[in-house]
């Protein structure tokens, strides 16, 4: 996975040689136009082109020659890269810091260690679900191992001890039912492994398997993509330097699970540590499809129900109702046969019980109300329904940035989001994908509106060259074509995690300008061909084919020259003074959805400004040749910003969000400050963060909200008053 370093001596020599060739071409074009101007009795336009091409050609040749000589000297005497293609320890440390930066705040927000870790227990599962013990054990002995354990107040490192057990080979599969705590356990373990990581040691990375489409990417390609998307790490890292924590095999489509297990088992060496989580039933079904094959060399543990006394002790410590919970559990054991304790035997339900029944001042939050529910499913549905009323009190409390979200509003917005995710069959709530909710026929109107900007530019060019009729015809054709293309291509664009900022690079300005002109030549040539063809066609329709070809040739050459100068100079200067086109990891800062939006908004504005300057200078120079500098200046100032703004909105994820939220808000499905609402729901615990996307705190909550009967519910027949349950009544 070794990469090639950009900007090396050989590359400088190639750029320099290219600029020399470019200069020669420009110089020859200058000679041609000089001869044409002389033959046509000193034609002013051709005479001007002669001077411009000659000057640009001479300058380009000089700059190119200097770069070529300098590149050749550097290639002869420069030291070779001795990295051998392996990432430096500092690169691994950068990745480790990114993983910490993503998951440490999430640990606090989910209160997974406050006041103590949520209790989780497991038991050992042997063959045939697991591999043979002789393969699982590092010493090759066939004797089974007892790996039963738990994570609680007295054993906070229980899972870590299993993963680092010298008797094992470091590979563990964790099974469990929905809500058993698999993801939370893996999150805590990722941070624990980071804390124990030795210098230059493997970096634990939590990766979500549902994001892997095995039909489109190999496992190695997917891991590299996830490192970039989830942690903003672009530098290639061999998988041998990673400790993968693979979460959610059961959330993958059933048709891909068997292939995923086989690929994971085959790609990693038997002694390469890894962790895989899945629901029990889905994992067993996958093994059945594999005809007896299992995860090679991996031990298997299954999360078990939490004992009632452990749940009782935790809720007494974690809420302001210790006596109420003690009384409730006593009544449950004496009168209901432990029905409530069985319903609260998984971490998800314990945590929801803590959130929804923690306030000692609210009579409707007394835990004894749970005793009136007839069975486990009803308890679970009730806890899910009670979450939103518990975190959105009435009267409302101000949220982030002083905004207030009423309970009914919040419930409606969250239900709409859940329905949107269900329709797309995803657990991820990515703000740049909100545009998926917009019907295609509505996007067509947006595309036509955007295309009008491009049509205006083309029509103005044709009008100045060939009159009003050509302007209308060309503008209409180009506008419709551009609008249709925008409609077809407009959609979610993944935002960049890289911060765009001002800076002064370490490279010389001359070299930046030289490389920019070389890039401008490529783009300008294409632009000249396109513009020349459009104008030539318009003129040809009105004045004949020969005149159209002649005018198209001249306009194309002028547009190519203008584009080369405008695009090349702008590209070189932007690369010199900003990080807009950088590709390293040094400026990667965004690790959460709001930061992604902030970075992408700034990037969209800079992209729009850059494109606007390029386009404005190009058309300004073109019209300046024919109509004088005043007209060129006006046209450039008018069309440049309009074109740049249109491009920045239609081709960036921030722009797509503006259009999408307009659609959502006009319909009343979401508030205008969408990101503020999502951040507030995350702070309240309704949503959780997974890298750059939000998720509902559990898939069961998303599914519950999509049901028509998911309004907050109350028990139908409370058997006693709160005072009676507390022992204060008769």
């Amino acid at each position: 996975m070794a990469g090639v370093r950009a900007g090396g001596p050989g590359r400088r020599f190639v750029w320099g040689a290219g600029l020399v060739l470019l200069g020669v071409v420009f110089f020859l074009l200058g000679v041609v136009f000089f001869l044409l101007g002389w033959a046509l009795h000193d034609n002013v336009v051709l005479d001007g082109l002669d001077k411009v091409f000659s000057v640009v050609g001479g300058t380009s040749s000089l700059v190119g020659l200097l770069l070529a000589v300098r590149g050749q000297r550097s290639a002869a005497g420069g030291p070779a890269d001795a990295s051998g293609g392996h990432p430096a320890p500092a690169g691994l440390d950068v990745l480790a810091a990114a993983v910490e930066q993503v998951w440490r705040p999430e640990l606090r927000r989910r209160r997974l260690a406050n006041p103590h870790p949520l209790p989780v227990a497991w038991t050992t599962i042997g063959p045939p679900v697991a591999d043979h013990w002789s393969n699982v054990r590092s010493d090759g002995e066939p004797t089974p191992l007892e790996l039963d354990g738990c994570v609680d107040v007295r054993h906070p490192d229980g899972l870590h001890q299993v993963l680092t057990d010298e008797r094992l080979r470091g590979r563990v599969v964790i099974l469990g039912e929905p809500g058993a705590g698999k993801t939370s356990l893996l999150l805590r373990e990722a941070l624990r492994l980071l804390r124990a990581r030795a210098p230059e040691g493997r970096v634990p990375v939590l990766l979500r398997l549902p994001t892997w489409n095995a039909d489109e990417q190999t496992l190695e390609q997917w891991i590299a993509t996830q490192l970039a998307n989830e942690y903003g790490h672009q530098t290639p890292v061999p998988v041998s330097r990673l400790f993968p924590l693979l979460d959610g095999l059961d959330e993958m489509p059933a048709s891909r699970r068997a292939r995923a297990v086989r690929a994971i088992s085959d790609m990693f060496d038997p002694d390469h540590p890894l962790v895989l989580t899945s629901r029990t039933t889905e994992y067993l079904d996958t093994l059945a499809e594999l005809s007896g094959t299992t995860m090679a060399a991996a031990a298997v543990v299954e999360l078990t129900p939490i004992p009632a006394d452990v749940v009782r002790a935790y809720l007494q410590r974690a809420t302001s109702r210790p006596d109420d919970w003690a009384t409730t559990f006593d009544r449950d054991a004496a009168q209901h046969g432990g029905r409530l304790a069985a319903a609260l035997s998984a971490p998800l339900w314990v945590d929801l019980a803590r959130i929804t029944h923690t306030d000692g001042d609210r009579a409707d939050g007394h835990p004894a109300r749970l005793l009136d529910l007839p069975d486990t499913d009803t308890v679970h549905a009730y806890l899910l329904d009670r979450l939103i009323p518990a975190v959105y009190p009435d009267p409302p409390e101000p949220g982030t940035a002083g905004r207030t979200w009423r309970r009914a509003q919040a419930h409606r917005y969250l239900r709409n989001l859940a329905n949107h995710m269900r329709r797309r069959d995803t657990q991820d709530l990515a703000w740049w994908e909100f545009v998926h909710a917009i019907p295609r026929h509505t996007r067509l109107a947006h595309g036509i509106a955007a295309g009008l900007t491009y049509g205006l530019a083309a029509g103005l060019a044709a009008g100045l060259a060939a009159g009003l009729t050509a302007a209308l015809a060309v503008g209409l054709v180009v506008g419709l074509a551009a609008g249709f293309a925008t409609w077809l291509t407009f959609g979610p664009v993944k935002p960049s995690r890289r911060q765009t900022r001002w800076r002064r690079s370490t490279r010389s300005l001359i070299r930046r300008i030289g490389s920019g002109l070389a890039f401008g030549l490529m783009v300008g040539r294409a632009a000249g061909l396109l513009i020349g063809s459009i104008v030539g066609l318009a003129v040809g329709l009105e004045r004949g084919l020969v005149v159209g070809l002649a005018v198209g040739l001249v306009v194309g050459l002028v547009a190519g020259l203008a584009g080369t100068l405008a695009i090349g100079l702008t590209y070189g200067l932007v690369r010199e003074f900003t990080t807009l086109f950088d590709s390293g990891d040094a400026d990667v800062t965004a690790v959460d959805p709001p930061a992604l939006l902030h970075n992408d908004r700034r990037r969209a504005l800079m992209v729009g400004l850059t494109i606007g300057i390029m386009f404005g200078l190009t058309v300004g120079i073109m019209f300046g040749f024919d109509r004088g500098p005043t007209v060129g200046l006006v046209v450039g100032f008018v069309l440049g910003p309009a074109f740049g703004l249109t491009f920045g909105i239609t081709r960036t994820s921030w722009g797509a969000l503006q259009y999408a939220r307009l659609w959502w808000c006009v319909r009343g499905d979401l508030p205008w400050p969408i990101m503020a609402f999502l951040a507030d729901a995350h702070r309240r615990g309704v949503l959780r963060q997974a890298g750059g996307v939000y998720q509902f705190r559990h898939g069961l909550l998303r599914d519950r909200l999509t049901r028509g009967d998911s309004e907050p519910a109350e028990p139908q027949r409370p058997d006693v008053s709160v005072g009676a349950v507390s022992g204060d009544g008769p």
Side-chain angles (χ1 to χ4, degrees):
M1 299 181 66
V4 179
R5 291 175 60 88
R11 193 170 215 181
R12 287 199 297 268
F13 180 77
V14 172
W15 280 110
L19 283 176
V20 172
L21 180 61
L22 170 64
V24 173
V25 171
F26 277 164
F27 183 78
L28 292 177
L29 284 174
V31 174
V32 171
F33 280 112
F34 171 77
L35 294 176
L36 286 174
W38 177 76
L40 296 175
H41 306 290
D42 299 327
N43 184 281
V44 176
V45 174
L46 295 179
D47 185 57
L49 290 175
D50 153 47
K51 293 182 174 58
V52 171
F53 273 106
S54 299
V55 172
V56 173
T59 304
S60 301
S61 299
L62 180 60
V63 173
L65 183 62
L66 291 175
L67 285 178
V69 172
R70 183 169 180 176
Q72 181 64 27
R73 288 180 178 177
S74 300
D81 183 8
S83 65
H86 296 290
L92 294 176
D93 292 341
V94 169
L95 176 58
V99 176
E100 176 90 14
Q101 190 177 7
V102 168
W103 296 116
R104 178 66 63 183
E106 194 64 14
L107 180 76
R108 293 194 300 269
R109 291 190 184 99
R110 298 189 195 182
R111 297 189 63 180
L112 297 181
N114 182 19
H116 299 288
L118 204 61
V120 180
W122 58 85
T123 186
T124 311
I125 303 295
V129 177
D131 201 354
H132 300 293
W133 282 111
S134 57
N135 295 332
V136 172
R137 294 183 57 142
S138 59
D139 56 10
E141 292 292 329
T143 307
L145 295 175
E146 187 71 31
L147 304 176
D148 297 5
C150 67
V151 172
D152 57 18
V153 177
R154 294 171 298 176
H155 309 90
D157 292 332
L159 180 61
H160 186 74
Q161 293 172 3
V162 173
L163 295 181
T164 58
D165 192 329
E166 294 182 354
R167 300 172 299 173
L168 301 176
R169 304 175 77 172
R171 301 160 71 94
V172 177
V173 175
I174 301 176
L175 305 179
E177 297 305 314
K182 300 180 292 294
T183 299
S184 299
L185 193 63
L186 214 56
L187 191 160
R188 290 204 302 260
E189 187 55 31
L191 297 173
R192 179 65 181 86
L193 289 168
L194 279 174
R195 193 164 69 248
R197 174 178 173 263
E200 303 185 31
R202 289 189 174 99
V203 180
V205 287
L206 202 164
L207 304 172
R208 298 178 296 121
L209 282 171
T211 62
W212 177 26
N213 185 347
D215 297 329
E216 298 178 357
Q217 288 181 306
T218 65
L219 178 59
E220 191 170 11
Q221 291 171 339
W222 169 72
I223 290 176
T225 301
Q226 287 302 103
L227 294 184
N229 291 344
E230 300 292 333
Y231 304 108
H233 194 80
Q234 305 286 344
T235 304
V237 178
V239 293
S240 60
R241 310 300 297 272
L242 302 176
F243 190 143
L245 308 175
L246 306 173
D247 186 34
L249 176 71
D250 55 280
E251 295 179 16
M252 298 182 73
S255 59
R256 298 176 187 165
R257 293 175 197 150
R259 190 189 312 179
V261 171
R262 187 181 295 112
I264 295 168
S265 184
D266 292 344
M267 193 183 81
F268 295 103
D269 295 332
D271 291 317
H272 190 112
L274 62 85
V275 181
L276 173 72
T277 69
S278 175
R279 294 181 182 179
T280 304
T281 301
E282 284 78 355
Y283 187 74
L284 296 179
D285 292 342
T286 302
L287 295 187
E289 186 177 344
L290 290 171
S291 302
T293 304
T294 185
M295 182 68 66
V300 179
V301 298
E302 183 177 22
L303 302 182
T304 58
I306 307 173
D309 60 330
V310 176
V311 175
R312 171 176 174 163
Y314 177 83
L315 291 173
Q316 286 184 282
R317 288 194 309 270
T319 69
S320 58
R321 294 178 174 270
D323 295 336
D324 295 340
W325 278 111
T327 303
T328 299
F329 272 94
D330 288 341
R331 289 187 58 209
D332 178 55
Q335 302 175 15
H336 302 282
R339 183 177 64 202
L340 178 60
L344 301 181
S345 60
L348 171 64
W349 312 116
V350 177
D351 199 34
L352 288 177
R354 174 188 64 80
I355 296 172
T356 58
H357 296 80
T358 190
D359 191 349
D361 296 331
R362 294 183 57 179
D364 62 348
H366 198 289
R369 291 174 175 265
L370 296 171
L371 297 175
D372 299 325
L373 303 174
D375 52 42
T376 295
D377 290 341
T378 309
V379 172
H380 292 172
Y382 176 71
L383 291 174
L384 291 171
D385 291 344
R386 284 279 302 173
L387 176 62
I388 293 177
V391 299
Y392 288 95
D394 191 14
E397 297 176 352
T400 53
R403 301 184 185 275
T404 300
W405 312 105
R406 297 189 178 277
R407 179 184 297 172
Q409 290 177 322
H411 188 273
R412 185 175 75 254
Y413 297 152
L414 292 167
R415 184 178 58 205
N416 291 335
L417 289 172
N419 284 320
H420 167 69
M421 296 166 67
R422 179 183 55 80
R423 285 191 295 268
R424 300 202 61 243
D425 191 24
T426 180
Q427 298 289 347
D428 292 345
L429 188 60
W431 55 262
W432 57 91
E433 293 183 348
F434 282 162
V435 72
H436 277 304
I438 304 175
R440 290 187 64 85
H441 65 272
T442 305
R443 296 188 213 177
L444 178 60
H446 166 78
I448 293 176
L452 289 177
T453 303
Y454 305 121
L456 175 63
L460 182 58
L464 291 176
L468 179 61
T469 303
L472 293 175
V474 172
L476 181 61
V477 172
V478 173
L480 291 176
F484 187 70
T486 302
W487 170 59
L488 290 177
T489 60
F490 185 70
V493 180
K494 286 189 177 180
S496 172
R497 294 176 177 272
R498 193 168 294 105
Q499 183 184 32
T500 303
R501 58 182 177 84
W502 300 101
R503 62 102 159 92
R504 179 73 166 85
S505 75
T506 57
R507 297 186 64 183
S508 67
L509 181 60
I510 296 297
R511 288 163 56 194
R512 288 289 192 192
I513 297 298
S515 62
L517 288 173
F519 174 76
L521 174 63
M522 294 184 294
V523 180
R525 182 174 55 186
L529 179 62
L530 176 63
I531 295 174
S533 301
I534 294 174
V535 175
L537 178 61
V539 174
L541 292 175
E542 185 172 336
R543 301 184 182 180
L545 179 61
V546 176
V547 176
L549 288 175
V551 173
L553 175 63
V554 174
V555 172
L557 290 173
V558 173
L561 171 61
T564 298
L565 292 175
I567 296 172
L569 290 174
T570 305
Y571 179 78
L573 291 173
V574 169
R575 288 207 65 185
E576 175 67 18
F577 295 107
T578 76
T579 61
L580 182 63
F581 299 114
D582 287 0
S583 59
D585 294 323
D587 290 306
V588 174
T589 58
V591 295
D592 56 64
L596 276 176
L597 178 61
H598 175 78
N599 277 10
D600 199 76
R601 178 173 60 239
R602 187 170 184 177
R603 188 176 186 84
L605 294 176
M606 292 195 71
V607 166
L609 178 63
T610 301
I611 297 297
I613 291 175
M614 290 180 177
F615 185 78
L617 284 176
T618 300
V619 297
I621 294 174
M622 287 175 54
F623 290 123
F625 270 116
D626 186 50
R627 301 291 178 172
T630 302
V631 174
L633 190 64
V634 171
V635 171
F637 267 110
V638 171
L639 292 184
F643 189 91
L645 180 62
T646 302
F647 188 92
I649 291 178
T650 58
R651 307 311 306 166
T652 62
S653 51
W654 172 79
L657 175 65
Q658 308 316 305
Y659 181 58
R661 73 174 182 171
L662 181 63
W663 165 263
W664 285 84
C665 298
V666 166
R667 295 162 53 91
D669 292 338
L670 285 177
W672 179 255
I674 292 178
M675 295 305 296
F677 174 75
L678 296 179
D680 183 68
H682 179 216
R683 179 184 65 85
R684 296 175 189 265
V686 179
L687 301 180
R688 66 186 183 187
Q689 179 189 321
V693 301
Y694 289 123
Q695 298 174 331
F696 281 99
R697 68 178 299 129
H698 197 278
L700 294 174
L701 177 59
R702 187 209 71 168
D703 296 340
R704 181 66 182 170
L705 283 168
T706 60
R707 293 169 56 94
D709 59 345
S710 62
E711 296 294 336
E714 294 291 340
Q716 296 180 357
R717 298 180 307 276
D719 58 347
V720 293
S721 65
V722 173
V725 172
S726 303
D728 298 333

